[in-house]
Amino acid sequence: MKKKRIVAKSVYTLADLKKGVEVDPPVRLGVFGDPVEHSFSPQMQNAALKQCKIDMQYARFHISPNELREAFDLIRKLDFVGVNLTIPHKISALELLDSVDDNVKRIGAVNVIKVESGKLHGFNTDGRGFSRAVREEFSVDLRDLRVMVLGAGGAARAIALQCAKENCERLVIANGTFEKGQRLADSLRNFFEGPKVLGPVPRLQAIPWEERAFQFQVANVDLVVNATPVGLNRGDPSPIPSRLLAPHVMVYDTIYAEKRTPFVSAAIEAGARAANGLSMLLHQGALAFEIWFRREAPLEVMRKAL
Ligand code: NAP
């Protein structure tokens, strides 16, 4: 007899995880966050699981910081394949894992966990997801771009490291807390010793969060990336106002809460090309699927589900 499919709840809690989350097909993947209600990952990953005929479900779990250790113990016991991590767990999870890859070590943040033989292994797919998103949105590779990254948190560090690894032409880090941006730039210095000749501007640089600094840099970069949460909340301004942008720049906003985020709107107003973070979400998710199942992700099905 054909089993009745029970769709997973919109959001589970630690208490549900303790009970084993009894639905059919079983939940063996998920995203841990606090808040987590906003996450688009279930629709994308469940579409991929269905397409690949993998008999399991992916669900949202509201897990607070003090519940994370117990939640990790439970996914070990419940035979989970893995989980994604979102705010506020990406950094604090590191010390609870059995191993992390080099990317995670350098970035200091983890967004994908694979469970294997009761051990938790950490990965970060944000940087490679970003790189694929930029290629898709603007038909250009990072190695050919002068990039300015706004922010120096987890997402910004993943993006900056990816730009460095792909030998981008130039990298500028702008952060509110200048010293943090400076530390990020210093950690990438060894990638920028090669001979790309660019005239008077340095290949790698941290700048203060100031209008004059933005104005100068916009004239000397091709791509501006927002990796801050500015734009997530209704009524937020654009991280850089339209009058400081220019038609030659491409703008990538990692925020995907709406199609036209404040930064995307400012870019369009300035005559620039712009994209929101949905494509990065798609590609980091596809890369996570590939880590979990060691097979190619059904990208078009995932895209459609988003
Ligand atoms: P995070 O680690 O908390 O870092 C936040 C960064 O933003 C810090 O550098 C902080 O500067 C800066 N910042 C915070 N408020 C600011 C403000 N009002 N003005 C200027 N700068 C401000 O956060 P995260 O995990 O990197 O996430 C950042 C963003 O990336 C989020 O919006 C998230 O949605 C997005 N994201 C998207 C994807 C995707 O797939 N599309 C993936 C990952 C993340 P200070 O150092 O001065 O505090």
Side-chain angles (χ1 to χ4, degrees):
M1 197 172 73
K2 200 170 182 288
K3 282 191 292 184
K4 191 169 179 288
R5 189 181 165 89
I6 306 168
V7 179
K9 278 203 296 190
S10 170
V11 181
Y12 287 97
T13 62
L14 184 69
D16 295 314
L17 204 51
K18 280 183 190 164
K19 283 187 254 158
V21 191
E22 285 168 6
V23 291
D24 189 30
V27 171
R28 292 287 177 266
L29 287 157
V31 52
F32 287 179
D34 178 10
V36 74
E37 291 71 14
H38 65 277
S39 173
F40 286 6
S41 292
Q43 60 238 53
M44 157 172 87
Q45 297 293 358
N46 280 322
L49 291 167
K50 201 167 168 199
Q51 172 72 17
C52 297
K53 301 192 168 49
I54 300 171
D55 201 29
M56 54 180 77
Q57 296 190 63
Y58 179 111
R60 295 184 191 87
F61 288 89
H62 188 133
I63 303 291
S64 59
N66 63 350
E67 295 174 336
L68 192 62
R69 185 183 290 274
E70 194 175 354
F72 280 170
D73 286 342
L74 287 163
I75 58 169
R76 283 187 168 102
K77 288 182 194 137
L78 291 169
D79 251 353
F80 265 53
V81 174
V83 286
N84 285 122
L85 298 178
T86 185
I87 285 174
H89 303 311
K90 287 184 170 187
I91 296 168
S92 57
L94 252 76
E95 58 184 44
L96 304 174
L97 302 179
D98 297 296
S99 79
V100 295
D101 77 351
D102 271 358
N103 247 355
V104 173
K105 278 185 204 149
R106 287 200 78 123
I107 297 162
V110 52
N111 72 326
V112 180
I113 293 176
K114 182 177 168 83
V115 190
E116 241 172 354
S117 313
K119 297 249 186 294
L120 304 186
H121 306 289
F123 303 86
N124 193 311
T125 59
D126 280 342
R128 280 196 297 148
F130 166 76
S131 170
R132 290 184 183 189
V134 165
R135 194 176 312 133
E136 189 175 285
E137 300 282 5
F138 304 117
S139 309
V140 61
D141 289 325
L142 290 178
R143 67 163 184 271
D144 296 320
L145 294 175
R146 299 168 299 168
V147 185
M148 173 153 68
V149 178
L150 310 178
R157 292 202 297 271
I159 288 168
L161 175 63
Q162 193 66 28
C163 291
K165 280 182 165 177
E166 294 192 27
N167 198 20
C168 71
E169 295 266 355
R170 192 169 175 245
L171 181 62
V172 180
I173 315 281
N175 195 49
T177 313
F178 175 73
E179 295 72 24
K180 200 163 137 192
Q182 183 75 67
R183 273 202 301 280
L184 173 54
D186 287 345
S187 73
L188 300 172
R189 189 104 16 225
N190 60 323
F191 288 97
F192 288 88
E193 282 160 357
K196 281 202 177 182
V197 183
L198 286 155
V201 285
R203 273 195 76 196
L204 175 67
Q205 187 176 9
I207 61 160
W209 192 273
E210 283 171 12
E211 205 169 304
R212 270 184 50 196
F214 287 144
Q215 203 155 24
F216 176 79
Q217 294 299 342
V218 165
N220 289 282
V221 297
D222 310 298
L223 174 68
V224 186
V225 185
N226 177 31
T228 76
V230 181
L232 262 186
N233 297 316
R234 204 164 275 276
D236 271 359
S238 167
I240 299 187
S242 157
R243 65 191 152 75
L244 299 181
L245 295 170
H248 78 274
V249 290
M250 291 165 264
V251 159
Y252 193 86
D253 194 347
T254 63
I255 291 175
Y256 52 84
E258 31 183 357
K259 194 159 185 269
R260 278 206 176 190
T261 64
F263 196 31
V264 168
S265 296
I268 291 168
E269 207 180 306
R273 284 187 292 161
N276 78 359
L278 212 55
S279 44
M280 178 173 165
L281 179 78
L282 168 71
H283 286 288
Q284 65 76 33
L287 289 161
F289 186 95
E290 289 172 12
I291 289 172
W292 293 325
F293 297 108
R294 293 204 177 93
R295 63 187 280 183
E296 205 179 320
L299 193 67
E300 292 317 313
V301 169
M302 295 172 86
R303 189 196 308 278
K304 211 168 152 215
L306 275 177

